[in-house]
DNA sequence: GGGTGTGAAGGGATTCACAGCA
DNA sequence: TGCTGTGAATCCCTTCACACCC
């Protein structure tokens, strides 16, 4: 296994393993088998082993994986070890919730700047971050922030995204429900809660009635 | 094409098409081609045509799709037409943001009940919803609510989920970062923002350095 | 002409089954 | 014995190419 391309689907599962390993670590478990990891993450054991094998032999046959070693390894792969600074734009309901949310820290993310255009919001301090006028976005360049979080309304999102990129951002977490048109070297992760929600009725029990389509 | 199983991946894309169609409708477009739909949704035209073909011949050769007809059809498939009532448990930062969020309405979801265990929060009214004591969750059964939204801390999520199911809920939107162990007939959609966020550093430009692993 | 609908081909991810090693 | 690591087989989804129809 040399110079192996890692499937995107595998990468998507890594944070899940990471979360499960932290959980096991907290329980004081020093070792974990793919079966046990499966019990927590609900991914098949062979899928887990296959996924992990892309990164070399991380386990010990007959024993399993060392909890701490494995979680460090996954952290290295995902580059979650160490802290990354982020700027948030749009301090509405969601923006405020994210600012107050402490869970980002364990993923190495720290929001150290926030912007809004509402004068009632500007100047407020939430969770040690003072909200700036959005017009000062371009001054962000100095602070070497590479991650931006967009929580502005849909109509303003594209414009804000461009300004963030101009300010040196190359990774964006986008909560606005639209596709952001940006240079290829910018990574965008879209989170649209409503889009996920929309799947719920389809998969709810009534599905048994009409899961298959009778066509033509 | 008879009795054809619809791929999950196709279902996942339907809300995206639905969103794009609403956008086009708002622009006053009565017809749309798969190419145009692709421009907005950033899904390949042939993928779109394939996806839609699972539901029968919805388009007109040489013309494209009727915007309104198609969006209604997708709404029917996803069961988004009509309103579904939901109960939210855990009125913290995120819970409040969701209560105030108006975007659910267009997906046919209306939060009509909210619960918390914090006595400072109980009794407050947010967006016309008065927050109840979480101990009253079991009384929910009468109100025929089938969707539950969980925004409580991880440690309480499993317990709350079980109570929701006891109260008649069969579809859950779970924001707590853990796997909910529930009867098979309950549909759970998990949203863990941090899990998505964790992928950002991996895909950010520095990836060019170590995207592939040099093993063994 | 222009754009859909769809079998067939191709590609990738999942699953299997077992070799290999503590 | 127990559990990992991994080629091979399988399955499913994506992509292609073109027939078909407005």
């Amino acid at each position: 296994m040399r110079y192996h391309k890692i499937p995107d689907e595998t990468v998507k599962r890594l944070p899940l393993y990471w979360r499960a390993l932290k959980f096991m670590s907290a329980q004081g478990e020093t070792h974990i088998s793919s079966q046990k990891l499966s019990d927590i993450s609900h991914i098949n054991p062979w899928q887990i082993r296959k996924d992990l094998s892309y990164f070399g032999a991380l386990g010990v046959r007959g024993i399993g994986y060392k909890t701490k070693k494995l979680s460090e390894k996954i952290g290295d792969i995902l580059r979650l070890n160490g802290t990354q600074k982020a700027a948030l734009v749009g301090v509405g309901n969601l923006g405020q919730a994210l600012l107050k949310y402490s869970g980002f820290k364990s993923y190495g993310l720290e929001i150290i700047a926030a912007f809004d255009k509402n004068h009632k919001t500007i100047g407020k301090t939430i969770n040690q971050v003072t909200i700036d006028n959005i017009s000062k976005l371009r001054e962000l360049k100095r602070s070497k922030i590479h991650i931006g979080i967009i929580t502005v309304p849909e109509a303003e999102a594209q414009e804000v995204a461009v300004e963030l990129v101009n300010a040196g951002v190359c990774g964006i977490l986008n909560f606005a429900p639209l596709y952001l048109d940006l240079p290829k070297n910018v990574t965008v992760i879209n989170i649209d809660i409503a889009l996920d929600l929309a799947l719920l009725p389809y998969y709810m029990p009534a599905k048994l009635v009409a899961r298959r389509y009778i066509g033509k």
Side-chain angles (χ1 to χ4, degrees), chain A residues 115-116 122 132-142 163 167:
Chain A
F115 300 89
D116 204 292
I122 296 166
D132 254 327
N133 192 312
I134 202 165
S135 64
K136 293 199 178 160
L137 206 53
R138 55 201 65 188
E139 293 172 27
L140 198 65
K141 208 158 197 168
R142 290 190 232 110
E163 288 213 43

Side-chain angles (χ1 to χ4, degrees), chain A residues 47-115:
Chain A
Q47 180 73 80
I48 294 174
R49 291 203 302 276
K50 185 77 162 180
D51 283 344
L52 296 178
S53 77
Y54 287 118
F55 305 102
L58 304 176
V60 185
R61 290 166 203 240
I63 306 288
Y65 302 88
K66 282 190 181 176
T67 318
K68 198 181 165 196
K69 190 184 145 199
L70 184 55
S71 92
E72 265 170 18
K73 180 72 188 178
I74 294 179
D76 281 347
I77 296 163
L78 294 174
R79 287 197 210 86
L80 296 175
N81 304 327
T83 314
Q84 304 224 36
K85 294 182 264 177
L88 181 144
V89 189
V91 190
N93 299 323
L94 181 59
Q96 278 187 46
L98 293 179
L99 271 176
K100 290 175 189 163
Y101 179 54
S102 56
F104 286 155
K105 211 172 292 170
S106 63
Y107 288 81
L109 191 85
E110 200 184 353
I111 301 175
I112 63 161
F115 300 89

